[in-house]
């Protein structure tokens, strides 16, 4: 289900926060589109955080420190990378108004990015929006094999450590299905969203948005004894413990 909006140079950040709290999100027809529309899928892709599929190969990639992982270090770089065309994705739904509003939401502390670096090169990552105890994944990108998967694994560990209860992935894809993402009907999603937002939903109605989950909790986790680090204090053993079983 889509709800078109008239052409606009910019989206209002507060309107975008209220929209996510209602279960809808903005998209554009293509990168250069001047307008956006609101999307409310009949089937919503979500990841039950305890059911993340950590494959043996991905676990080895994380343990080998193939990438240097950072958070909120290159938000604008990640969103630009997600918006760029590529051979496997000739066009994207991230236009100028969407890019600008998320940069502003990042400045306000609601939007976050996870970046994977191959040396000094931005190899891939993801970005999304935090509200209440929900995290709305917007887009993920890879320019080096497995970079987006590593970023996604770090996101899941971060959300679990920070007390988040809902990871909204918008749509189910074959790639996301391999990581444990499932589809739920709209009514079920609305119930999960309401539980994750809690009192935040009432605050939004009064124009006061807040994040109840702690996106930075993982950075304060003490490194496991004898374990190397993936990014700062984030140890490989902590990642393994938070992500649970290996598929």
């Amino acid at each position: 289900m889509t709800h078109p909006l008239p052409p606009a140079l910019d989206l209002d950040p507060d309107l975008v926060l209220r929209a996510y709290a209602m279960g809808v999100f903005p998209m554009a027809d293509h990168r250069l589109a001047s307008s956006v529309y609101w999307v409310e899928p009949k089937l919503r892709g979500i990841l039950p955080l305890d059911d993340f599929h950590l494959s043996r190969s991905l676990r080895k990639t994380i343990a080998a420190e193939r990438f240097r992982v950072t958070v909120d270090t290159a938000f604008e770089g990640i969103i630009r990378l997600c918006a760029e065309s590529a051979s496997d994705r000739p066009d994207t739904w991230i236009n100028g108004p969407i890019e600008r509003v998320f940069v502003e939401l990042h400045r306000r502390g609601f939007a976050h990015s996870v970046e994977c670096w191959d040396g000094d090169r931005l190899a891939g990552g993801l970005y999304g929006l935090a509200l209440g105890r929900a995290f709305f994944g917007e887009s993920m990108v890879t320019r080096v094999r497995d970079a987006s998967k590593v970023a996604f694994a770090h996101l899941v560990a971060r959300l679990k450590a920070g007390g988040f209860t809902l990871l909204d992935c918008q749509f189910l894809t074959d790639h996301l299905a391999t990581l444990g993402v499932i589809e739920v009907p709209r009514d079920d999603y609305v119930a999960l969203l309401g539980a994750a937002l809690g009192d935040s939903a009432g605050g939004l109605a009064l124009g006061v948005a807040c994040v109840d989950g702690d996106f930075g909790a993982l950075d304060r986790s003490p490194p496991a004894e004898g374990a190397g680090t993936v990014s700062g204090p984030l140890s490989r053993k902590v990642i393994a413990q938070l992500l649970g079983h290996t598929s």
Side-chain angles (χ1 to χ4, degrees):
M1 182 181 298
T2 63
H3 310 277
L5 287 177
L9 293 178
D10 288 295
L11 287 167
D12 177 68
D14 294 320
L15 173 63
V16 171
L17 290 174
R18 291 195 298 273
Y20 276 87
M22 295 170 60
V24 299
F25 53 87
M27 295 185 73
D29 284 326
H30 54 82
R31 172 65 173 157
L32 299 179
S34 61
S35 61
V36 301
Y37 52 90
W38 297 115
V39 180
E40 185 182 22
K42 293 182 179 179
L43 292 174
R44 195 71 162 238
I46 66 163
L47 175 70
L49 292 173
D50 288 334
D51 294 336
F52 175 69
H53 293 172
L54 179 63
S55 67
R56 289 181 174 83
S57 61
L58 181 54
R59 182 185 288 271
K60 288 180 180 178
T61 300
I62 293 171
E65 296 183 341
R66 171 67 179 83
F67 302 103
R68 177 171 61 91
V69 181
T70 59
V71 173
D72 289 341
T73 298
F75 183 88
E76 293 187 37
I78 282 293
I79 195 170
R80 283 195 301 267
L81 199 64
C82 287
E84 286 179 1
S85 61
S87 57
D88 61 339
R89 189 171 59 174
D91 209 348
T92 72
W93 53 267
I94 305 169
N95 67 350
I98 290 174
E99 183 174 346
R100 286 190 291 272
V101 78
F102 269 91
V103 169
E104 173 60 20
L105 287 167
H106 172 64
R107 188 188 68 80
R108 295 189 185 187
F110 292 101
H112 299 281
S113 59
V114 179
E115 306 97 11
C116 286
W117 302 86
D118 184 11
D120 293 331
R121 175 191 179 191
L122 191 55
L126 56 85
Y127 78 95
L129 178 75
L131 194 61
R133 295 188 181 276
F135 189 87
F136 307 89
E138 285 297 302
S139 186
M140 56 196 297
V141 63
T142 188
R143 291 291 182 265
V144 177
R145 182 178 177 179
D146 290 337
S148 64
K149 289 183 179 180
V150 170
F152 195 78
H154 277 256
L155 173 67
V156 173
R158 184 166 293 273
L159 297 181
K160 293 184 72 171
F164 287 82
T165 60
L166 174 64
L167 174 50
D168 175 7
C169 299
Q170 297 183 345
F171 300 107
L172 178 65
T173 65
D174 291 341
H175 173 62
L176 289 175
T178 66
L179 299 173
V181 176
I182 62 172
E183 282 184 326
V184 296
R186 183 189 302 152
D187 289 347
D188 291 350
Y189 171 77
V190 170
L192 292 169
L193 176 61
L197 293 180
D199 294 338
S200 301
L204 276 167
L206 300 174
V208 181
C210 66
V211 181
D212 299 319
D214 185 353
F215 199 76
L218 192 58
D219 300 319
R220 299 186 296 276
S221 298
E225 184 178 352
T229 61
V230 177
S231 176
L234 180 58
S235 73
R236 297 189 298 251
K237 188 171 288 186
V238 168
I239 281 283
Q241 290 170 346
L242 284 167
L243 295 181
H245 65 278
T246 300
S247 59

